[in-house]
Amino acid sequence: MIKLIAIDLDGTLLKDDKTISEKNIKTLQAAKQQGVKVVLCTGRPLNSVLPHLETLGLVEEGDFAVTFNGGLIQRNDTGEILSKVLLTKADIENIYQLSQELVFPLDVVSGPKVLKIQPQPTSNPSWYHKLNPLLNFVDVELSELPNDTEFNKAVCAISEEKIDELLPKVPAEYHEQYSIVRSGKAIFEFMPKGVSKADGLRRLGDLLGIQPEEMMALGDEENDQAMIRFVGLGVVMENGTAELKKDAQYITATNEEDGVALAVEKFVLADKEA
């Protein structure tokens, strides 16, 4: 029996216009009313997720979110942080050095703010502010970073073609030091080693007493792969990547066709009714 549904946002729950369909809203609310935990599991920071949590009615006691690709677990009603894994200032300096060598822009998410590490290459300007307009962006020189700042993740957001070209050039030593994932066609991210949506779900499951086999996860991109493999029922969107579909136990309709709702109806609500 499914006790927890973990749902990615972009390309999964959200339509291409970044809204949630009425069918998805009603279906997830029905699952919650039947006692199932509905958990948004995203690479985004919490402040860019809050409007969607409110839309879904997931801001009550007992509601949780997994953000920063598993780096942070938080109570939605109070904002209390239950678990977090961070990068250090030395990590940011190391990753920035790579960004200079490979000529890509670097944005660092630090709680509610995004630090646009300067200088950035004029030939490859960052797209991150366009992809996440709700976030607060601040230009910061690398030398100005304080030692006591919390760094959640480092992000490169540029064109799909440039990321296709850049990612294979990232040295093996960086993959050994960090979890590096592509979270969208125009984004790849550096996170603390071992951090993933699966790791976040494991830690949340330990807190709630819910086993992986009692979880269902829905996603569409590379950063969803770990959780799709981790849970008892991994569902991939029809618009998901070909690589991710290899790990799917079920492929649902696209994000434009209420794929989340259809899968929840099939595997959660129908099971509860039975």
Side-chain angles (χ1 to χ4, degrees):
M1 179 183 295
I2 301 298
K3 296 182 180 179
L4 185 151
I5 307 169
I7 313 169
D8 170 58
L9 275 177
D10 298 288
T12 300
L13 180 61
L14 300 185
K15 297 193 296 181
D16 292 344
D17 64 2
K18 304 303 180 184
T19 63
I20 306 174
S21 73
E22 194 63 30
K23 182 175 179 65
N24 278 341
I25 294 171
K26 290 181 178 178
T27 302
L28 292 176
Q29 288 176 342
K32 178 183 175 180
Q33 289 168 5
Q34 293 186 10
V36 177
K37 294 292 184 185
V38 178
V39 178
L40 298 189
C41 198
T42 175
R44 294 186 183 203
L46 188 72
N47 50 329
S48 74
V49 176
L50 281 173
H52 303 305
L53 293 173
E54 292 169 353
T55 296
L56 295 166
L58 297 177
V59 289
E60 301 174 349
E61 183 178 357
D63 291 327
F64 303 87
V66 175
T67 56
F68 298 118
N69 282 320
L72 189 145
I73 301 169
Q74 198 159 357
R75 293 185 186 274
N76 297 346
D77 59 336
T78 64
E80 178 189 358
I81 295 174
L82 302 176
S83 176
K84 63 182 174 182
V85 186
L86 302 168
L87 293 169
T88 66
K89 181 181 178 181
D91 290 326
I92 301 304
E93 291 171 341
N94 188 32
I95 297 167
Y96 182 74
Q97 178 61 38
L98 177 68
S99 76
Q100 294 294 285
E101 293 171 3
L102 296 185
V103 193
F104 64 82
L106 191 68
D107 294 315
V108 177
V109 183
S110 178
K113 292 190 293 187
V114 179
L115 308 177
K116 296 179 66 66
I117 308 300
Q118 304 297 324
Q120 295 200 354
T122 56
S123 59
N124 274 349
S126 175
W127 291 15
Y128 200 49
H129 61 288
K130 298 177 182 178
L131 300 174
N132 289 279
L134 295 178
L135 301 182
N136 178 25
F137 288 81
V138 181
D139 287 350
V140 178
E141 294 283 340
L142 185 68
S143 59
E144 296 173 345
L145 290 178
N147 292 318
D148 58 352
T149 297
E150 294 188 348
F151 305 109
N152 301 98
K153 64 178 182 177
V155 178
C156 170
I158 48 178
S159 72
E160 179 180 358
E161 294 75 20
K162 288 179 180 176
I163 290 181
D164 288 341
E165 177 186 336
L166 278 173
L167 270 178
K169 297 180 181 178
V170 175
E173 64 191 78
Y174 279 85
H175 289 279
E176 293 168 1
Q177 295 178 70
Y178 309 105
S179 290
I180 303 174
V181 295
R182 191 167 187 166
S183 55
K185 291 182 174 60
I187 299 180
F188 72 93
E189 307 180 351
F190 297 80
M191 297 169 298
K193 189 66 176 177
V195 166
S196 69
K197 292 185 180 183
D199 180 61
L201 287 176
R202 176 189 59 76
R203 285 181 278 130
L204 179 58
D206 288 344
L207 291 169
L208 299 177
I210 298 177
Q211 301 302 311
E213 57 268 25
E214 297 172 316
M215 300 179 185
M216 170 182 174
L218 302 98
D220 73 303
E221 270 288 353
E222 178 186 328
N223 65 327
D224 300 315
Q225 186 174 51
M227 76 170 179
I228 293 295
R229 291 176 173 177
F230 175 73
V231 300
L233 179 58
V235 178
V236 176
M237 312 301 290
E238 178 58 43
N239 54 285
T241 66
E243 190 65 26
L244 189 63
K245 287 178 181 177
K246 295 177 183 178
D247 292 309
Q249 291 169 275
Y250 182 75
I251 296 176
T252 188
T254 71
N255 63 316
E256 290 289 315
E257 300 169 320
D258 301 316
V260 168
L262 295 175
V264 171
E265 286 175 345
K266 179 178 179 67
F267 294 109
V268 179
L269 299 185
D271 182 56
K272 289 283 186 179
E273 292 169 359

